[in-house]
Amino acid sequence: MTEADHHDRELEELELELLLEAVYRRYGYDFRGYARASLRRRLWRRADLEGLRSLSGLQERVLHDPHCLERLLADLSINVTAMFRDPTFHQALRRDVFPELRTHPFVRVWVAGCSTGEEVMSIAIALHEEGMLDRSRIYATDMDADVLARARTGGFALEKVRDYTRNYLAAGGTDSFSGYYAVTGDQAVFDPDLLRTVVFAQHNLATDGSFNEFNLVICRNVLIYFGRDLQDRVLGLFDESLPRRGVLALGRKETLRGTAIEERYEPVVEAERIYRRS
Amino acid sequence: MTDRRLIVIGASWGGLQAVGEILAGLPGDFAVPVLIVQHRAEDTGDLLAGLLDRRGPLPVREVEDKDTLAGAGVLVAPAGYHVLVEPDHLELSTEAHVRFSRPSIDVTLESAADALGAGVIGVVLTGANDDGAVGLAAVRRRGGFAIVQNPETALVATMPAAARSSAAPQAVAELSEIAPLLVQLADGEAPHAA
């Protein structure tokens, strides 16, 4: 991107808002409340790849060409994920959250913004090793139908196995990670038996409502892409979905501090951003 | 006189030592927020902020999502996250690595230049790749002040050399000169170009 392309920040901001408004009104995808700096970066990347010199140009193409919208949606959904990402988080979950979950006859977990499913697989393994998977149901949602389709297959790149094995051990895995997947070509496929309690469903945190009550809601590194108002909306959604003593787990750099629901929650493990509703 | 609103320091191989020396040279009442982007392994937690906190009088901590810039002190980009800059706050992203790095120095410098224009001071220190070169050029282009550690005396020359040739920085400085230069710039003095 060159200087001339978007030197006038006020004009660029206007073009950006019009583009988001157009995408919302034409197609129903609502990115208006997203965090701006990262959104702007990704919109410009799409404009550059399309050979366009302005966000207005991108707006015109998106409005008239649904294929361009598909490409834009792929750019706007961040699907970088890993199994047992932040091993100390998963350790804390097993150590400080599972003991109370165990006292429930049935456990409902919501993984919001599950992307290609690596976190879902991690949680399923942990519930399995703690003997709770049979009486659990994991609801895994994402706004992006394509990544959900990939998540349902349980497949992941074989080259990731070494990292995931290391994470699994660091996260307090008690068995052998190699027992949880089979290898076909350059793909590893997660044991389908462990995914049998998972319900994958399309759900957009920006526009959809609460759909159940959960003992544990996990939403990691999703809120960072939302602006403050949208963050408040989504936290309200989680709040409605959690009973008393329900647990909310956020990403390592996301916090309830300073939010509208803060006062109803106490930290279970502050460093890992695990909170319990009081 | 330009209102300096953010200092971004990018470092890679050998950076812990170099950044520490700069922080040791900044006074406790230094008013411009400093954002450090240091390459490192993703699973190092907030170790780096703890180590740097001991190097000087300014408090050092990791960036939290939507941190406000005003009065922020010294912030460190968390391992495994890119840091992007808006006019009054910071955003985090787990988007793909850029030039094998997350945090990426280019991502932060470009976005700082975009949001704050001439209010940005960009500093590129020792390192073994060319991250920071594109970003520092963006800082320069938007009217910000670009500083590069002298590649001849940096622990690893690759990164500052790449930044020097791409950004035509206003200053190529010895490590020991950088903190005094930042103090001068924060006070609104215009040092002569190197």
CSV table of all heavy atoms in Angstrom, one decimal, chain B residues 112-143:
chain,number,residue,atom,x,y,z
B,112,ALA,N,1.3,2.1,13.9
B,112,ALA,CA,1.6,3.3,14.6
B,112,ALA,C,1.7,4.6,13.7
B,112,ALA,O,1.1,5.6,14.0
B,112,ALA,CB,2.8,3.2,15.5
B,113,ALA,N,2.4,4.4,12.6
B,113,ALA,CA,2.6,5.5,11.6
B,113,ALA,C,1.2,5.9,11.1
B,113,ALA,O,0.9,7.1,10.9
B,113,ALA,CB,3.5,5.0,10.5
B,114,ASP,N,0.4,4.9,10.8
B,114,ASP,CA,-0.9,5.1,10.3
B,114,ASP,C,-1.8,5.9,11.2
B,114,ASP,O,-2.5,6.8,10.9
B,114,ASP,CB,-1.5,3.7,10.1
B,114,ASP,CG,-2.5,3.7,8.9
B,114,ASP,OD1,-2.3,4.4,7.9
B,114,ASP,OD2,-3.5,3.0,9.0
B,115,ALA,N,-1.7,5.5,12.5
B,115,ALA,CA,-2.6,6.1,13.5
B,115,ALA,C,-2.1,7.5,14.0
B,115,ALA,O,-2.9,8.4,14.4
B,115,ALA,CB,-2.8,5.2,14.7
B,116,LEU,N,-0.8,7.6,14.2
B,116,LEU,CA,-0.2,8.7,14.9
B,116,LEU,C,0.7,9.6,14.1
B,116,LEU,O,1.1,10.7,14.6
B,116,LEU,CB,0.5,8.3,16.2
B,116,LEU,CG,-0.4,7.5,17.2
B,116,LEU,CD1,0.5,6.9,18.3
B,116,LEU,CD2,-1.4,8.4,17.8
B,117,GLY,N,1.0,9.2,12.9
B,117,GLY,CA,1.8,10.0,11.9
B,117,GLY,C,3.0,10.5,12.6
B,117,GLY,O,3.9,9.8,13.0
B,118,ALA,N,3.2,11.9,12.6
B,118,ALA,CA,4.4,12.5,13.1
B,118,ALA,C,4.6,12.3,14.6
B,118,ALA,O,5.7,12.7,15.1
B,118,ALA,CB,4.4,14.0,12.7
B,119,GLY,N,3.6,11.8,15.3
B,119,GLY,CA,3.7,11.6,16.7
B,119,GLY,C,4.5,10.4,17.1
B,119,GLY,O,4.7,10.1,18.3
B,120,VAL,N,5.0,9.6,16.1
B,120,VAL,CA,5.7,8.4,16.4
B,120,VAL,C,7.2,8.5,16.3
B,120,VAL,O,7.7,9.1,15.4
B,120,VAL,CB,5.3,7.3,15.3
B,120,VAL,CG1,6.0,6.0,15.6
B,120,VAL,CG2,3.7,7.1,15.4
B,121,ILE,N,7.9,7.9,17.3
B,121,ILE,CA,9.3,7.7,17.2
B,121,ILE,C,9.5,6.2,17.0
B,121,ILE,O,9.1,5.5,17.9
B,121,ILE,CB,10.1,8.3,18.4
B,121,ILE,CG1,9.8,9.7,18.6
B,121,ILE,CG2,11.6,8.0,18.3
B,121,ILE,CD1,10.3,10.3,19.9
B,122,GLY,N,10.2,5.8,16.0
B,122,GLY,CA,10.4,4.4,15.8
B,122,GLY,C,11.9,4.1,16.0
B,122,GLY,O,12.8,4.8,15.5
B,123,VAL,N,12.2,3.0,16.7
B,123,VAL,CA,13.6,2.6,16.9
B,123,VAL,C,13.8,1.2,16.5
B,123,VAL,O,13.1,0.3,17.0
B,123,VAL,CB,14.0,2.8,18.4
B,123,VAL,CG1,15.4,2.5,18.7
B,123,VAL,CG2,13.6,4.2,19.0
B,124,VAL,N,14.8,0.9,15.7
B,124,VAL,CA,15.1,-0.5,15.3
B,124,VAL,C,16.5,-0.8,15.9
B,124,VAL,O,17.5,-0.2,15.5
B,124,VAL,CB,15.0,-0.7,13.8
B,124,VAL,CG1,15.5,-2.1,13.5
B,124,VAL,CG2,13.5,-0.5,13.4
B,125,LEU,N,16.6,-1.9,16.6
B,125,LEU,CA,17.8,-2.3,17.3
B,125,LEU,C,18.4,-3.6,16.7
B,125,LEU,O,17.9,-4.1,15.6
B,125,LEU,CB,17.6,-2.5,18.8
B,125,LEU,CG,17.0,-1.3,19.6
B,125,LEU,CD1,16.7,-1.7,21.0
B,125,LEU,CD2,18.0,-0.1,19.5
B,126,THR,N,19.3,-4.2,17.4
B,126,THR,CA,19.9,-5.4,16.9
B,126,THR,C,19.0,-6.6,16.6
B,126,THR,O,17.9,-6.7,17.2
B,126,THR,CB,20.9,-5.9,18.1
B,126,THR,OG1,21.4,-7.3,17.7
B,126,THR,CG2,20.2,-6.0,19.4
B,127,GLY,N,19.4,-7.4,15.6
B,127,GLY,CA,18.5,-8.5,15.2
B,127,GLY,C,19.0,-9.2,13.9
B,127,GLY,O,19.8,-8.6,13.1
B,128,ALA,N,18.6,-10.5,13.8
B,128,ALA,CA,19.2,-11.3,12.7
B,128,ALA,C,18.2,-11.5,11.5
B,128,ALA,O,18.4,-12.3,10.7
B,128,ALA,CB,19.6,-12.7,13.2
B,129,ASN,N,17.2,-10.6,11.4
B,129,ASN,CA,16.3,-10.7,10.2
B,129,ASN,C,16.0,-9.3,9.8
B,129,ASN,O,16.6,-8.3,10.3
B,129,ASN,CB,15.1,-11.5,10.4
B,129,ASN,CG,14.3,-11.0,11.6
B,129,ASN,OD1,14.3,-9.7,11.8
B,129,ASN,ND2,13.6,-11.8,12.3
B,130,ASP,N,15.1,-9.1,8.8
B,130,ASP,CA,14.8,-7.7,8.4
B,130,ASP,C,13.5,-7.1,8.8
B,130,ASP,O,13.0,-6.2,8.3
B,130,ASP,CB,14.9,-7.6,6.8
B,130,ASP,CG,13.9,-8.4,6.2
B,130,ASP,OD1,13.1,-9.2,6.9
B,130,ASP,OD2,13.8,-8.4,4.9
B,131,ASP,N,12.9,-7.8,9.9
B,131,ASP,CA,11.6,-7.2,10.4
B,131,ASP,C,11.9,-5.8,10.9
B,131,ASP,O,13.0,-5.5,11.4
B,131,ASP,CB,11.1,-8.1,11.6
B,131,ASP,CG,9.7,-7.7,12.0
B,131,ASP,OD1,9.0,-7.0,11.2
B,131,ASP,OD2,9.3,-8.1,13.1
B,132,GLY,N,11.0,-4.9,10.7
B,132,GLY,CA,11.2,-3.5,11.1
B,132,GLY,C,11.5,-2.5,10.0
B,132,GLY,O,11.3,-1.3,10.1
B,133,ALA,N,12.1,-3.1,8.9
B,133,ALA,CA,12.6,-2.2,7.8
B,133,ALA,C,11.4,-1.5,7.1
B,133,ALA,O,11.5,-0.3,6.9
B,133,ALA,CB,13.4,-3.0,6.8
B,134,VAL,N,10.4,-2.3,6.8
B,134,VAL,CA,9.2,-1.8,6.1
B,134,VAL,C,8.5,-0.8,7.0
B,134,VAL,O,8.1,0.3,6.6
B,134,VAL,CB,8.3,-2.9,5.6
B,134,VAL,CG1,7.0,-2.4,5.2
B,134,VAL,CG2,9.0,-3.7,4.6
B,135,GLY,N,8.3,-1.2,8.3
B,135,GLY,CA,7.6,-0.4,9.2
B,135,GLY,C,8.3,0.9,9.5
B,135,GLY,O,7.6,2.0,9.6
B,136,LEU,N,9.6,0.9,9.7
B,136,LEU,CA,10.3,2.1,10.0
B,136,LEU,C,10.2,3.1,8.8
B,136,LEU,O,10.1,4.3,9.0
B,136,LEU,CB,11.8,1.8,10.3
B,136,LEU,CG,12.5,3.0,11.1
B,136,LEU,CD1,11.9,3.2,12.5
B,136,LEU,CD2,14.0,2.7,11.2
B,137,ALA,N,10.2,2.5,7.6
B,137,ALA,CA,10.1,3.4,6.4
B,137,ALA,C,8.7,4.1,6.4
B,137,ALA,O,8.6,5.2,6.0
B,137,ALA,CB,10.2,2.6,5.1
B,138,ALA,N,7.7,3.3,6.9
B,138,ALA,CA,6.3,3.9,7.0
B,138,ALA,C,6.3,5.1,8.0
B,138,ALA,O,5.7,6.1,7.8
B,138,ALA,CB,5.3,2.9,7.4
B,139,VAL,N,7.0,4.9,9.1
B,139,VAL,CA,7.1,5.9,10.2
B,139,VAL,C,7.7,7.2,9.6
B,139,VAL,O,7.2,8.3,9.8
B,139,VAL,CB,8.0,5.4,11.4
B,139,VAL,CG1,8.3,6.6,12.3
B,139,VAL,CG2,7.2,4.3,12.1
B,140,ARG,N,8.8,7.0,8.8
B,140,ARG,CA,9.5,8.1,8.2
B,140,ARG,C,8.6,8.8,7.2
B,140,ARG,O,8.6,10.0,7.2
B,140,ARG,CB,10.7,7.5,7.5
B,140,ARG,CG,11.7,8.5,7.0
B,140,ARG,CD,12.6,9.0,8.1
B,140,ARG,NE,13.7,9.7,7.5
B,140,ARG,CZ,13.7,11.0,7.2
B,140,ARG,NH1,12.6,11.7,7.5
B,140,ARG,NH2,14.8,11.6,6.8
B,141,ARG,N,7.9,8.0,6.4
B,141,ARG,CA,7.1,8.6,5.4
B,141,ARG,C,5.9,9.4,5.9
B,141,ARG,O,5.5,10.4,5.3
B,141,ARG,CB,6.5,7.4,4.6
B,141,ARG,CG,6.2,7.7,3.1
B,141,ARG,CD,6.0,6.4,2.3
B,141,ARG,NE,5.0,5.6,2.9
B,141,ARG,CZ,5.1,4.3,3.1
B,141,ARG,NH1,6.2,3.6,2.8
B,141,ARG,NH2,4.1,3.6,3.6
B,142,ARG,N,5.4,9.0,7.1
B,142,ARG,CA,4.3,9.8,7.7
B,142,ARG,C,4.8,10.9,8.6
B,142,ARG,O,4.0,11.4,9.4
B,142,ARG,CB,3.4,8.8,8.5
B,142,ARG,CG,2.7,7.8,7.7
B,142,ARG,CD,1.7,8.5,6.8
B,142,ARG,NE,1.2,7.5,5.8
B,142,ARG,CZ,0.3,6.6,6.0
B,142,ARG,NH1,-0.3,6.4,7.2
B,142,ARG,NH2,0.0,5.8,5.0
B,143,GLY,N,6.1,11.2,8.5
B,143,GLY,CA,6.6,12.4,9.3
B,143,GLY,C,7.1,12.1,10.7
B,143,GLY,O,7.4,13.0,11.4
